[in-house]
Amino acid sequence: MANIKKLAENPELLSGGHRLCSGCGAGIVARQTLLAAGDRPVVVANATGCLEVSTTIFPYTAWRVNWFHSAFENAAASASGIEAAVRAQRKSGRLKEDVKVIAFGGDGGTYDIGFQSLSGAMERGHNLLYICYNNEAYMNTGIQRSSATPRGAHTTTAPTGKICPGKIQSRKDLTACLVAHDIPYAAQAVVGEWNDFVTKVQKALATSGPTFINILQPCMLGWGFPSAQTVALGQLAVETCIWPIYEVEKGVYRLTKRPKQKKPVAEWLKTQDRFKHLFGPENAGLLEAIQKDVDLRWEKLLALCGEKAAI
Amino acid sequence: MAAIKVAKTGNEAMAEAMRQINPDVVAAYPITPATEVVQIFSQFVADGAVDTEFIAVESEHSAMSATMGAAAAGSRAMTVTSSQGLALMYEMLYIAAALRLPIVLPEVNRALSAPINIHCDHSDTMGARDAGWIQIFSENSQEAYDNILQAMKISEHPDILLPSMVTTDGFIISHCMETMFFLDDATVKNYVGPYKPHASLLNLAEPHSLGALDLQDYYFEHRMQLAEAMRRAKDRIVEVGLDFGRRFGRSYGLFETYRMEDAEVAMILLGSTAGTTKMVVDVLRREGRKVGLIKLRVFRPFPFAELAREFGRVKAVAVMDRSDGLTSFGGPLFDHVRSTLYDLERRPKTVNYIYGLGGRDITLEDLRSIFVRLQDIAAGGPIDPLITYQGVRA
């Protein structure tokens, strides 16, 4: 577990003044990641997306570490090249420090367009940490569906309409895909459980080889909630088990937080405008199906983590 | 300095240049006909013949992305590709140039799909002509080797900082064995010198952001800087080519003229066809025909002013395009040459030939007939058709 007093002594490597929305979770993810890194030297590769455009409007930058961006789908490939450069320059003696590469991508850049590049980097075993700040849609371009968008959510490319209740399909379980790459460390985290996330980042940075964290990041604009609720919403995602937080270390699953009492998923859905249509009488069946799906996945995860099944 | 006489294919020559350069990082993906370069280089890595960190990436898009990441991190970084591979890199080519990453890319010219075809034409390289890359074509394996070494000195120069692609013609050069000369390892090492990056993501003392969002207030200036660098590259290419000649006995310029001194008609083309054409020029010269050839070596930056000077005395020119721009007005080289000639007081007549698509041979007889037609045009004969698809079946 991270110690907040010690953490507070670490330098702020993501400065204020960037242009992310108030209440944006992506800034929290980046800031906490760099706080977790502390004095371990890191270099960041960023996919195109909210975090990138809002933190580096030329001639300004919010990053006090070396930072690189080239395109949308290639953060993992860029990070691979930077990591190879680290190895080459350490081998030749030009670089003394053990620099760790951290890649950030949104769910668009990670689940979808960057999936191949991510898979390639993970399979090749580069020593890097990839963090997906997952806000469950393409928020930078105006809330379009991604394969991380949950079933029933309204987005601008899977909108609710006279005959359609938002996104029809369930989301892809990307964390499971990454676990299937047999990487030494993969985890799910959430904005709002800061200590859990910081601890996971520190664990990943201390691990040699490819590591991955999928952090659910509430987006007030895309999800439709008051900007003061970001942290509370993240916590509620864990309490309703729609986004369980866990880690997989060398293939061994561990639930890092088990809610004392599992709340109905409707409690989470009703906090956000993107789900409001689900509460109409015509969507009662869908609501029920979503709950069933959450229950099923939760039971499966509990079994993987060696936890006692829910009643 | 020892010149080592060898018999090598174009691919072997390019791989050898890469071994001697010994880049910090190579990220590459195999594609016919460039696969061999990747394979040979992989064997160098496996045998410890290079210090390079080799990344066997999962696509050419990632090959270019990883190469760029390594270059941005202050490493000398290279990749190799061809055709569809270059097409898949397309997005990243523009970004590599604009981020001023001096990557050198050996590229084997191959037709773009569809129909899928593995043989030579220049449509792949021409597709990347506006990406901000220096583009150098090679007539044979020797030139491919020499051009790669020179490209390092051109791209990495602090006044330039632009990526370069050095091309050979697929199969015709890439798989054809020829006698050529390698330089010895120490000479190449000394020639390319240790890499001094302009900036590095691994310089922890001075953190910087590379690849920031540029809006209306800065984008234009940065694109202007890119354009200026490309303009400066022309002088640098000439300087490096002359210096290479002084050091190693083989000089290079922006283009090569062959028997142009008193030529009345001329052909201009790129790549391996130059070899065949020189032979045809010799034969026609023996017949007393005043024909000449301009082998364009550097397509980007395009040597407009320099070429214009060569055409002042010529009466008719055939512009030979080994790709079709599908503009309905001929190939890309035709566009450029016509534009080059426009400001001349005495403009030669020009015709365009699109030839060799998908590896279709161009024969001695084809070339001869084109020269003969040029002489007819020079004597006032008809220009119709302006654009000929040479060697295509009806």
Side-chain angles (χ1 to χ4, degrees), chain A residues 215-251:
Chain A
I215 177 163
L216 185 73
Q217 176 247 302
C219 167
M220 59 81 142
L221 195 69
W223 294 9
F225 62 83
S227 59
Q229 295 301 308
T230 305
V231 163
L233 235 70
Q235 291 164 343
L236 191 57
V238 177
E239 285 159 17
T240 54
C241 298
I242 194 161
W243 190 261
I245 51 177
Y246 63 96
E247 63 186 8
V248 187
E249 230 177 320
K250 296 191 175 76

Side-chain angles (χ1 to χ4, degrees), chain A residues 41 43 52-53 56-59 61 63-71 73-74 77-78 80-82 84-89 91 94-95 97 99 116-117 120 124 126, chain B residues 24-25 51 53 55-59 61-62 65-66 68-70 72-75 91-92 95 99 200-204 206-215 218 222:
Chain A
V43 49
E52 169 262 328
V53 297
T56 62
I57 303 181
F58 192 86
T61 180
W63 300 84
R64 294 188 177 119
V65 295
N66 280 303
W67 178 94
F68 181 66
H69 157 258
S70 61
E73 67 277 53
N74 64 349
S78 303
S80 301
I82 298 169
V86 170
R87 273 186 282 136
Q89 291 179 33
K91 194 162 67 183
R94 270 189 289 159
L95 180 70
E97 299 87 351
V99 180
Q116 171 185 313
S117 143
R124 290 190 301 269
H126 294 279
Chain B
D24 298 307
V25 176
D51 302 311
E53 290 294 333
I55 315 175
V57 281
E58 82 297 334
S59 76
H61 193 284
S62 285
S65 299
M68 289 167 58
S75 284
E91 179 194 26
M92 302 316 299
I95 302 170
L99 295 183
S200 169
L201 295 171
L202 301 181
N203 178 357
L204 303 174
E206 293 169 51
H208 71 290
S209 293
L210 180 64
L213 175 69
D214 251 19
L215 299 174
Y218 283 98
H222 286 146

